[in-house]
Amino acid sequence: LEEHARRRPAKIFVESPDQGARLTFGAFETLTRRFANFLALQGVGPGDRISVLSDNGIEPLVVFWGALRCGVIVNPINVEIREKHVSQILHDVAPARVFWSRDLLGDPRALATAGAAWISFGAWHAPDPPADDLFARLRTVPEAPLTKRPARSDWSCLNYTSGTTDAPKGAIWTHEAYYAMSESTVDRLELGEADTILDYRHFSWSSPQILSIGPAMLTGATLVLARKFAQTRFFDWIRDHRVTVAVGIPTVINMLLARPAPVTRADLPTLRFMTSSTAPLSADKHTEFERTYGIPVVQLAGGTETGFMCGNHPEHRRVGSIGRPTLNMRVRLLDDDGREVAAGEHGEMVVSGRQMASAYWQGPGRLVPIPQDGFRNGDLARRDEDGYVYITGRKKDIIIKGGVNIAALEITDCLLEHPDVADAATFGVKDDIYGEVPVGIAVPRPGRHATEAALRAHCEAKLAAFKVPSAVLVVEAIPKNANGKADREALLALWEQRARH
């Protein structure tokens, strides 16, 4: 950041379409330096923790990066998604300060635990903020140079996993790991100073931190950070801000296919490609999106504990594959006995490398180490002769029907191939005879009519008989978390409601 502020002080670092505001590298460096000095004046120093509760915007990024600059561990929280877990997260993190946006709906201080001082903030450039506002207070903080920088092995971020089936887990990274995670993205996607990266996912998730925020800081690119995805504004953002890389997830791609916009790549001359990550993108939807919009899709895969493990190169993509292992990762596919499988065979992904998170955080002084020499992330995959990896399912999503293993992802992909289906998921439910059977769930495209009978017939024509779902629920929307992953508890609730009727 100091180098960017010195070499390109007037270049835009971050733009907020929702706020109609932007900050240059020079101004961002000054604000984050003042914030770091403010923390020191507050008695908050290296190794202490702060939590940040805010929607996307310029202000929380100042808090996020200012803390990182002075070695304070930063814990960003998405209040909207995490509401039932915020109190527990704050209790476990035990932050020295909690910074919260006054733009949030409701007052999050009701979720407070004892011991932390809460400091609110509004817009960084507000002409007459309240006297106790963070940015009002920063205006009186000296712009003294920072005298201390964190070491590679110091803690940086404390992020919580998506928690689709249970309470989210906190994973803690070193500064070395955060740098390496961002470096892997820059290397694989060939990002540079000339790029403008669009993201709209909440900054508390690890994926935007290492796909857009970190790489923009590392390279000197510009970050366009919207508050949340808006289908009616998405292509306008790309055109108006001259975006070169647009971040995507399968849910967004499915939404853009369900209600196509009259836009092609020719209307977006600066756009290089769109990414897809956080959940598997079916080959069928990948191909349909590129055929509809002419926009290349570059698929990657990663996690809070690992960063991006694999990714396609923009010029060397394989549909259906998550690409090859990234710069700072080693990826092995092992069988149940711990032996590496041959090309074309299925195994569990076991990853290691300098970008791994160090431990799960369960409270001050209570860390559960994450294996650095071989972390089993639960993904099942195969690798082709050229080293491209293909996700075939999740170990915990394997459905065991009468002793036979069925990958839920295979059924989901089959449902997505039906022309009337916009989105789909598969999960296992208890069965008195087989122990467990697969159930599909599908969302019709607008204006289309998909029946359970037709979708089961489609599966019968495509799948082995024992893999055909026992039922297919047709719903208006699949319940998902903010990362675009199906919420398993909500899916089971839908099934139980159906069973009661």
Side-chain angles (χ1 to χ4, degrees):
L1 175 56
E2 291 174 4
E3 183 174 345
H4 292 318
R6 187 166 54 247
R7 295 177 53 193
R8 49 183 73 88
K11 186 176 190 291
I12 302 300
F13 166 57
V14 58
E15 295 189 71
S16 170
D18 304 279
Q19 295 174 293
R22 56 179 59 179
L23 265 186
T24 64
F25 278 101
F28 193 76
E29 192 281 328
T30 299
L31 272 178
T32 53
R33 179 156 37 91
R34 282 182 169 175
F35 180 75
N37 289 329
F38 172 79
L39 288 178
L41 293 172
Q42 291 274 311
V44 180
D48 291 331
R49 296 165 301 283
I50 66 167
S51 293
V52 190
L53 283 69
S54 173
D55 291 327
N56 280 354
I58 291 174
E59 296 79 15
L61 284 193
V62 171
V63 175
F64 179 87
W65 217 272
L68 291 179
R69 291 190 70 183
C70 60
V72 171
I73 303 167
V74 60
N75 161 236
I77 302 174
N78 186 331
V79 180
E80 179 182 358
I81 301 301
R82 295 276 188 229
E83 187 171 1
K84 67 179 181 179
H85 297 302
V86 169
S87 292
Q88 185 62 49
I89 291 173
L90 290 174
H91 175 270
D92 292 345
V93 172
R97 298 288 185 278
V98 180
F99 295 89
W100 63 283
S101 168
R102 291 195 302 276
D103 289 337
L104 290 174
L105 293 175
D107 190 334
R109 288 174 293 185
L111 306 168
T113 55
W118 287 61
I119 300 175
S120 67
F121 58 83
W124 63 272
H125 57 311
D128 189 24
D132 62 350
D133 178 90
L134 170 65
F135 290 93
R137 297 166 76 174
L138 291 189
R139 292 172 189 177
T140 65
V141 173
E143 294 184 13
L146 299 184
T147 57
K148 294 182 180 179
R149 290 188 176 86
R152 288 172 177 259
S153 59
D154 289 344
W155 303 126
S156 60
C157 301
L158 177 47
N159 293 317
Y160 277 75
T161 59
S162 50
T164 57
T165 59
D166 50 21
K169 296 181 292 186
I172 192 162
W173 306 343
T174 63
H175 282 267
E176 168 84 359
Y178 188 16
Y179 181 95
M181 288 178 182
S182 301
E183 183 185 45
S184 287
T185 303
V186 170
D187 172 78
R188 183 50 47 90
L189 299 183
E190 293 193 338
L191 301 175
E193 178 190 350
D195 279 306
T196 297
I197 308 168
L198 169 65
D199 210 334
Y200 39 79
R201 301 167 303 163
H202 196 274
F203 76 101
S204 65
W205 301 113
S206 63
S207 187
Q209 291 172 24
I210 62 176
L211 183 54
S212 59
I213 299 170
M217 180 62 73
L218 190 60
T219 61
T222 294
L223 170 66
V224 178
L225 187 63
R227 186 157 290 149
K228 59 179 62 177
F229 177 73
Q231 186 166 354
T232 57
R233 302 176 64 194
F234 179 69
F235 291 115
D236 291 337
W237 288 334
I238 295 174
R239 184 187 62 249
D240 297 345
H241 295 278
R242 301 185 62 78
V243 168
T244 61
V245 177
V247 170
I249 59 176
T251 299
V252 164
I253 288 172
N254 291 338
M255 290 172 66
L256 294 172
L257 286 174
R259 299 183 182 277
V263 174
T264 67
R265 192 179 185 184
D267 302 310
L268 309 167
T270 62
L271 185 64
R272 294 170 53 202
F273 56 84
M274 185 171 172
T275 67
S276 181
S277 60
T278 73
L281 175 65
S282 74
D284 182 64
K285 295 300 182 186
H286 186 148
T287 302
E288 184 183 355
F289 185 86
E290 293 192 350
R291 185 173 62 246
T292 301
Y293 291 104
I295 298 171
V297 175
V298 178
Q299 190 170 187
L300 308 95
T304 304
E305 299 94 340
T306 63
F308 283 111
M309 306 170 295
C310 294
N312 281 275
H313 185 281
E315 301 302 324
H316 305 285
R317 300 171 298 118
R318 293 201 176 173
V319 174
S321 172
I322 59 173
R324 292 168 164 160
T326 54
L327 176 67
N328 293 309
M329 291 299 284
R330 181 190 181 202
V331 177
R332 293 176 292 158
L333 303 181
L334 305 184
D335 63 18
D336 290 340
D337 296 322
R339 293 188 295 264
E340 195 150 0
V341 302
E345 295 181 358
H346 298 257
E348 183 178 4
M349 291 183 72
V350 180
V351 299
S352 56
R354 61 189 283 250
Q355 65 185 46
M356 292 284 298
S358 297
Y360 291 115
W361 177 276
Q362 295 187 342
R366 292 189 291 131
L367 299 177
V368 178
I370 293 173
Q372 300 297 295
D373 58 348
F375 173 71
R376 292 178 176 265
N377 74 344
D379 284 327
L380 301 175
R382 63 178 175 84
R383 192 192 318 247
D384 67 20
E385 295 287 351
D386 297 320
Y388 284 80
V389 177
Y390 298 76
I391 297 289
T392 57
R394 291 281 295 169
K395 197 164 187 177
K396 66 181 180 181
D397 290 337
I398 290 294
I399 300 163
I400 304 176
K401 179 182 177 182
V404 180
N405 290 353
I406 301 172
L409 183 60
E410 183 179 0
I411 299 173
T412 299
D413 284 347
C414 180
L415 289 169
L416 288 170
E417 291 174 5
H418 194 284
D420 292 339
V421 173
D423 200 4
T426 305
F427 56 102
V429 300
K430 292 180 180 179
D431 183 79
D432 292 338
I433 297 175
Y434 293 103
E436 191 177 28
V437 293
V439 168
I441 186 166
V443 178
R445 292 175 185 263
R448 302 283 186 91
H449 181 62
T451 65
E452 175 179 341
L455 293 177
R456 287 196 74 247
H458 170 77
C459 291
E460 288 170 352
K462 299 262 185 183
L463 299 171
F466 73 92
K467 296 180 180 179
V468 174
S470 295
V472 179
L473 308 185
V474 179
V475 299
E476 293 183 359
I478 294 175
K480 297 184 179 182
N481 65 21
N483 259 6
K485 298 178 182 178
D487 186 324
R488 183 173 175 79
E489 289 184 0
L491 291 177
L492 288 172
L494 281 175
W495 171 253
E496 289 168 1
Q497 183 182 27
R498 155 76 178 267
R500 283 197 299 271
H501 286 81

